[in-house]
Amino acid sequence: MTDCIFCKIISGDIPGDIVYQDDDVLAFRDLNPQAPTHVLVIPRKHIATTNDIQPEDAELIGKMYLAAKQIAKDEAIDEAGYRTVINCNRAAGQTVFHIHLHLLGARPMGWPPG
Ligand code: DGP
């Protein structure tokens, strides 16, 4: 999508601090990190929200989690623990409408989240 910030990172039109990529998934550091490790894992396919995920996207969504697992290992936060979050729509705090898995770690985290 031409007006999507994350599609522009995928196309290289705007820069991203990319930490992982493959044919289906891209991951880059969040511009406004909420933890020492804060990476966004996105599908190359534009999907606006989790409400828009279709049955044929099931494997793609699984690949996002496999990428997150690999990145957590690379960042050495896998053993201590980390959080993965996908915000859906405005009440949950979604501001960029291209689904993204937040991978947060390297600090203690409370529950419930805000
Ligand atoms: P959410 O609130 O769940 O939609 O998260 C959107 C995140 O995207 C937010 O943590 C900030 C980040 N973000 C927004 N624009 C950019 C950008 O241009 N580059 C990067 N790296 N991150 C961005």
Side-chain angles (χ1 to χ4, degrees):
M1 276 188 70
T2 50
D3 60 346
C4 170
I5 293 170
F6 289 175
C7 284
K8 286 180 180 162
I9 292 176
I10 291 166
S11 66
D13 288 338
I14 64 172
D17 185 357
I18 294 168
V19 297
Y20 175 91
Q21 56 183 319
D22 62 31
D23 288 346
D24 302 300
V25 168
L26 189 76
F28 50 90
R29 295 193 191 280
D30 195 292
L31 202 60
N32 182 25
Q34 301 301 311
T37 294
H38 189 172
V39 170
L40 303 174
V41 182
I42 67 170
R44 290 185 185 274
K45 176 183 177 182
H46 182 89
I47 301 171
T49 78
T50 51
N51 290 335
D52 301 299
I53 296 169
Q54 300 302 317
E56 60 266 27
D57 299 320
E59 189 176 351
L60 179 58
I61 303 304
K63 286 178 176 177
M64 290 169 63
Y65 280 90
L66 288 171
K69 172 186 142 179
Q70 182 59 49
I71 297 159
K73 188 165 192 255
D74 294 344
E75 297 276 317
I77 58 172
D78 54 329
E79 291 301 327
Y82 55 91
R83 186 168 291 170
T84 53
V85 180
I86 300 180
N87 297 322
C88 181
N89 275 336
R90 298 200 187 276
Q94 185 176 7
T95 58
V96 177
F97 288 82
H98 180 133
I99 58 167
H100 45 283
L101 184 70
H102 293 262
L103 168 63
L104 298 136
R107 69 163 169 81
M109 285 177 207
W111 193 263

